[in-house]
Amino acid sequence: MRTTRTTTRIGVATAALAATALALTGCAAGSSAGTAASSAPAKAASGPAIDLSGVCPSTVVVQTDWNPEGEHGHLYEMLGPDPSIDASGKTVTGDLYANGKSTGVKLEIRAGGPAIGYTKVASQMYQDKSITLGYMSTDEQVQFSGNLPTTAVFAENDSSPMSIMWDPKTYPDVDSIEDLGKELEKNGGVVRYFNGAAYMTYLEQSGILPKKVLDGSYDGTPSKFVSAGGKDAQQGFATAEPYIYQNQVAAWGKKVAYKPISSTGWNPYPEAMSVRTGDLSKLTPCLKKLVPVMQQADVDYLKAPQATNDLITRLVQQYNNGWTYDSKVGAFAAKQLVELGLAKDTDGYIGSMDEQRMQDFIEKATPVFAGTGDVKSDLQPSDLFTNEFLDKSIGLGK
């Protein structure tokens, strides 16, 4: 999952930089390391002070899997006023806030993808033990469960926005990815995607998409999709591409239809907050207090994302590495996360993971990663996650 997402974002950035009619709009500006953000999300006092100083590291370090974006909003929501931006290191550090007050520790958020040479988050976490938590999708957890085991403690999003999109005017009767495959085969179209995507291996192996329609030549730019005139389909993210293609790709400028990959049965928890499995016991006192703070930050972001999206936009501008993102896309992402049920209360509260769903995914993913990863023998759901730190009183519906 991570490989496909990172290269997707690279391609979008490349398109934005290209001086063509197909460029995705965006802006970027350089900044020296150590500057402070001009502002940060407003932190209204709405509850008792929470002290993390006695149980958590003095700086809680979180390794993300990509540049700042709306899907990461829950993290940036926790930054207090005037965080310090290291533009060269692609990190931002500030007081970790909860209920409008400092918790007594710092929060350092590190960009992933190009900022770490496209290293997998699991590898980065094991190379750099100063990292407290990292973004891990269930598919990568399974893939590296042997030598780089991680345990997810909070799933801020319940399902991935990874989708396949198509032109609804060309294929008006398509209502599923399986239907799309049949129509593409009939009309000589293809699904363009990044080569090596684990989900596509699953879609082919399960017979949902015929091999004939698979095209692993996607480079992230909109040019091939546009030039195909609606004949071809393409991978994308439900939280970005539908808005971008309609509003920021002038050569297309209309709606796209899409279905999440999760609708096919390939349904990992995306970007779950995770720790090195061997550190779980040591971090338990911290996680008991910190995970509910993350839950509340997720709820606060999804209910009022604008200030945090403005901060994300400023970070993107100052990191200035070709990635383009603005508050309009961020607002669309936050809306989609809720409206599509990608972020939702599960079991009545936000952030929980389901044991049976994990078991089902292990059974689907293990054959996909056979010979390509390091899947632990007799892998169990309990190897991958725990819900023990979640506060059941925190949710979008509370």
Side-chain angles (χ1 to χ4, degrees):
M1 182 68 70
R2 180 50 37 202
T3 299
T4 60
R5 184 177 178 88
T6 54
T7 41
T8 299
R9 301 307 195 189
I10 298 165
V12 171
T14 302
L17 292 172
T20 69
L22 299 178
L24 303 184
T25 61
C27 60
S31 174
S32 59
T35 61
S38 57
S39 62
K43 307 296 177 184
S46 58
I50 296 173
D51 184 8
L52 300 179
S53 61
V55 292
C56 289
S58 58
T59 299
V60 174
V61 179
V62 179
Q63 178 62 64
T64 70
D65 54 4
W66 193 246
N67 294 297
E69 57 185 347
E71 290 93 322
H72 303 174
H74 71 109
L75 272 184
Y76 296 98
E77 180 75 23
M78 291 190 291
L79 284 170
D82 301 318
S84 178
I85 301 173
D86 180 352
S88 61
K90 309 297 185 288
T91 67
V92 59
T93 306
D95 290 336
L96 197 162
Y97 261 50
N99 297 331
K101 309 173 187 71
S102 174
T103 61
V105 302
K106 298 286 187 181
L107 172 64
E108 178 183 317
I109 304 172
R110 300 180 180 178
I116 55 174
Y118 306 105
T119 300
K120 297 288 187 180
V121 172
S123 297
Q124 193 74 5
M125 291 174 68
Y126 274 87
Q127 292 170 18
D128 185 349
K129 295 300 180 69
S130 71
I131 297 170
T132 314
L133 297 126
Y135 274 166
M136 289 297 300
S137 294
T138 312
D139 48 356
E140 291 191 355
Q141 283 191 282
V142 172
Q143 185 178 7
F144 302 114
S145 55
N147 286 335
L148 304 173
T150 54
T151 301
V153 297
F154 169 54
E156 68 277 7
N157 293 322
D158 186 70
S159 295
S160 172
M162 173 68 81
S163 302
I164 293 178
M165 66 183 199
W166 66 90
D167 178 21
K169 290 187 177 180
T170 304
Y171 302 110
D173 298 324
V174 167
D175 192 45
S176 70
I177 291 176
E178 187 170 11
D179 288 344
L180 177 64
K182 295 175 183 177
E183 290 299 310
L184 290 171
E185 188 172 29
K186 187 187 306 181
N187 290 278
V190 298
V191 178
R192 201 162 285 109
Y193 68 99
F194 280 104
N195 195 33
Y199 75 84
M200 194 59 79
T201 302
Y202 165 76
L203 293 180
E204 180 186 351
Q205 289 181 352
S206 61
I208 294 172
L209 285 178
K211 185 175 182 179
K212 182 179 179 180
V213 306
L214 305 184
D215 182 344
S217 69
Y218 182 48
D219 62 2
T221 68
S223 56
K224 290 182 179 179
F225 184 83
V226 172
S227 63
K231 181 180 178 181
D232 295 340
Q234 181 177 286
Q235 75 164 65
F237 290 83
T239 47
E241 271 79 0
Y243 178 87
I244 291 171
Y245 273 67
Q246 184 174 358
N247 298 284
Q248 298 183 347
V249 179
W252 185 256
K254 55 186 176 180
K255 291 183 178 181
V256 295
Y258 57 91
K259 279 288 183 180
I261 301 298
S262 60
S263 66
T264 68
W266 182 264
N267 193 20
Y269 290 97
E271 302 177 327
M273 301 294 291
S274 305
V275 300
R276 290 175 293 270
T277 299
D279 290 342
L280 181 62
S281 178
K282 178 181 69 175
L283 286 171
T284 288
C286 173
L287 294 170
K288 285 181 178 179
K289 289 190 171 185
L290 177 59
V291 170
V293 171
M294 294 192 293
Q295 287 178 272
Q296 189 61 55
D298 196 17
V299 170
D300 292 345
Y301 169 73
L302 291 171
K303 289 186 175 181
Q306 184 61 53
T308 296
N309 282 338
D310 289 344
L311 174 61
I312 287 172
T313 300
R314 287 193 296 275
L315 292 173
V316 170
Q317 291 171 351
Q318 293 196 37
Y319 290 176
N320 192 24
N321 66 352
W323 168 237
T324 63
Y325 202 86
D326 61 34
S327 294
K328 291 181 180 179
V329 181
F332 178 79
K335 182 180 179 181
Q336 290 285 86
L337 286 170
V338 175
E339 290 189 353
L340 298 180
L342 303 176
K344 64 182 180 181
D345 293 346
T346 304
D347 302 321
Y349 55 99
I350 201 160
S352 67
M353 292 159 276
D354 181 74
E355 182 176 3
Q356 187 58 55
R357 175 174 160 185
M358 283 285 194
Q359 182 60 48
D360 291 345
F361 187 79
I362 289 171
E363 293 172 5
K364 289 184 175 77
T366 299
V368 169
F369 293 123
T372 64
D374 177 40
V375 180
K376 179 183 178 181
S377 176
D378 194 29
L379 183 65
Q380 301 297 315
S382 58
D383 296 321
L384 302 179
F385 84 103
T386 178
N387 288 329
E388 65 178 297
F389 307 114
L390 296 168
D391 185 334
K392 295 182 180 180
S393 70
I394 301 174
L396 290 166
K398 304 297 184 180

